[in-house]
Amino acid sequence: MGHRPPAPKVRYIDQVIGEETHGIDFGYFGGAFRNQEAEVVHIMDLNPLLGESTKDSTRVAEAKSFVETLQEQRTALVQTILDSTPADDAAQQILNEATETFIVLDNHTPTPDASRTVVVPHAHFRSRFFGYPRAHEVAGRLLCVARSELSRSAEGPLKVFSVTDTPELSLRVVGDEDPALEQLIPRAVRRAGGSVSARTELLSDAELVREIDAAEFVILPQVTSLEDMTLLYLALSLDRPVMLPESELARELGAEVGPGWINCFDGPVTAEGIDQLVAQARALPRSVRPDLDARDPEVIARRYAEVYRAAAKSVTR
C-alpha cells in the first residue's frame, strides 16, 4: 500500500481496510519499495514512489527500477486511476504496462485498459463520525470547502456571490490557507456586506464535519481529484445536498442517491446559477437521507480484498 502518515482526517486507505478484512496483512511504504514479502502493491499516486525529481529521464528510470523489483519478487501491481491521473506521462505508462488490475471509482473514469479494470465505488462515511460533535444547519448557508488549493473551489463563488438575488443567502469558504485568495476573500466580504465569511486553516475531520453540518448546501465547483470525491461523499454522508458541475458522473450519482441531493451547474458557477439551484433544490421533494446503501464501507473493503487476492493469484499461478 502507499504511505499512510498519521493524520486526523480520512484518507483513501480508510476505504480499503475494513473491520472484517481477514487474511490480509497490510503494510505501508513511502519512497523506494523494498518489501520482499508483499504479494500485491497498490498505488494511486506515482509521485511519492518516484521521488522529487521532475526530470522525465529520472522518473522513467525510477519507474523501470520499481517494475523490475516487482517482477523479481513476483509481486502484483494494482493501481487506482482517477480523472487527474496523467495519461501521457512516460513513467505512468511504464507502470500501466506492468499493472495487473486497475481500479476506478466510477463507470466514467478513463482507464488504460478496460479488460484489466474493475469498478470499486467510493464508500460513504456515515458510520465513521458517530459520536463526533455536530452543528446545527444555518439556513441559506452555502459552503465552499477544500482540503488544499482552496482557490480552485472558492474563486468562482467568491467572485459572483455578491450579485446573487436569493434572500438570506450566505457564503462560507473553508479550507487550508491559499495565497491566491489573500485579496479575493476580503474583497468578497466587503462587497457582500457581511454575508461572506471564511476560515482558512488546516481542519481536522471533527471541524470539517461541523462546517458541513452548518451548511444548507455544499458547493463543489470541480470534482476531478480524490479529495473532491471525498468531500462529495462526506457531504452526502452528513445529509447535505451538493451543487457541482453537470457530468455523466453527477447524473448517475443523482439517480442513485435520489432527487434533490445532487444539483448541477450548467457551466461555470454564476450568480444566476446559484440562485436557480437553490430554488430548484428547495422545491424538490427530498428523502430524509440520500440513498448510499451501495457504498457501505464494509462491502467496499471486501471488494478491495477480492481485487488483491485475484491479483496475487494471477502472478503466482
Side-chain angles (χ1 to χ4, degrees), residues 141-145 212 215-223 228-246 250-251 253-254 257-265 273 277-278 280-282 284 286 290 292:
R141 176 176 290 184
L142 310 178
L143 175 66
C144 198
V145 59
I212 293 175
E216 183 178 353
F217 302 99
V218 175
I219 302 180
L220 295 174
Q222 297 185 52
V223 184
D228 299 331
M229 296 188 72
T230 297
L231 290 170
L232 167 61
Y233 291 106
L234 179 55
L236 292 173
S237 298
L238 296 172
D239 305 328
R240 289 298 177 263
V242 180
M243 299 178 179
L244 73 170
E246 185 174 7
R251 288 191 291 272
L253 182 58
V257 301
W261 294 105
I262 299 296
N263 306 277
C264 296
F265 291 105
L277 286 190
V278 169
Q280 170 188 304
R282 287 174 171 174
L284 281 173
R286 196 164 65 224
L292 299 174

Side-chain angles (χ1 to χ4, degrees), residues 12-254:
Y12 178 65
I13 186 62
D14 297 317
Q15 300 189 57
V16 173
I17 303 177
E19 297 293 333
E20 302 176 6
T21 310
H22 303 301
I24 298 179
D25 294 324
F26 290 94
Y28 313 94
F29 72 93
F33 172 73
R34 297 186 178 90
N35 189 335
Q36 302 290 331
E37 299 180 355
E39 294 181 276
V40 177
V41 169
H42 181 181
I43 64 173
M44 62 168 296
D45 183 358
L46 76 165
N47 291 321
L49 182 71
L50 302 183
E52 299 180 357
S53 176
T54 58
K55 291 180 59 177
D56 287 344
S57 59
T58 301
R59 288 167 57 82
V60 166
E62 291 290 343
K64 288 181 177 178
S65 176
F66 173 63
V67 168
E68 289 172 1
T69 299
L70 295 182
Q71 292 172 342
E72 289 171 1
Q73 298 175 187
R74 300 189 65 79
T75 300
L77 178 60
V78 173
Q79 278 198 79
T80 296
I81 300 294
L82 306 169
D83 278 337
S84 54
T85 302
D88 56 353
D89 181 85
Q92 180 70 59
Q93 291 172 357
I94 291 170
L95 297 187
N96 290 349
E97 291 175 5
T99 296
E100 184 66 33
T101 305
F102 297 102
I103 294 173
V104 292
L105 306 184
D106 57 69
N107 293 312
H108 307 290
T109 300
T111 176
D113 185 349
S115 67
R116 290 183 283 155
T117 299
V118 297
V119 178
V120 182
H122 197 297
H124 69 64
F125 298 109
R126 279 179 174 163
S127 59
R128 182 178 176 88
F129 300 111
F130 287 154
Y132 275 55
R134 306 300 293 269
H136 295 292
E137 178 183 316
V138 177
R141 176 176 290 184
L142 310 178
L143 175 66
C144 198
V145 59
R147 288 287 200 185
S148 61
E149 296 182 283
L150 182 57
S151 59
R152 196 169 62 91
S153 297
E155 185 174 10
L158 283 168
K159 287 181 175 179
V160 304
F161 182 77
S162 63
V163 292
T164 55
D165 292 327
T166 305
E168 305 300 322
L169 211 58
S170 63
L171 176 66
R172 175 81 163 163
V173 174
V174 172
D176 288 1
E177 187 174 350
D178 188 334
L181 296 179
E182 285 182 357
Q183 297 182 13
L184 184 55
I185 288 176
R187 188 182 306 134
V189 170
R190 290 194 300 269
R191 286 176 175 173
S195 59
V196 172
S197 61
R199 183 180 183 181
T200 53
E201 60 183 274
L202 178 64
L203 296 185
S204 67
D205 276 344
E207 289 303 309
L208 185 59
V209 165
R210 290 176 61 83
E211 290 287 353
I212 293 175
D213 268 344
E216 183 178 353
F217 302 99
V218 175
I219 302 180
L220 295 174
Q222 297 185 52
V223 184
T224 56
S225 69
L226 181 62
E227 178 185 287
D228 299 331
M229 296 188 72
T230 297
L231 290 170
L232 167 61
Y233 291 106
L234 179 55
L236 292 173
S237 298
L238 296 172
D239 305 328
R240 289 298 177 263
V242 180
M243 299 178 179
L244 73 170
E246 185 174 7
S247 67
E248 291 183 2
L249 169 62
R251 288 191 291 272
E252 186 175 281
L253 182 58

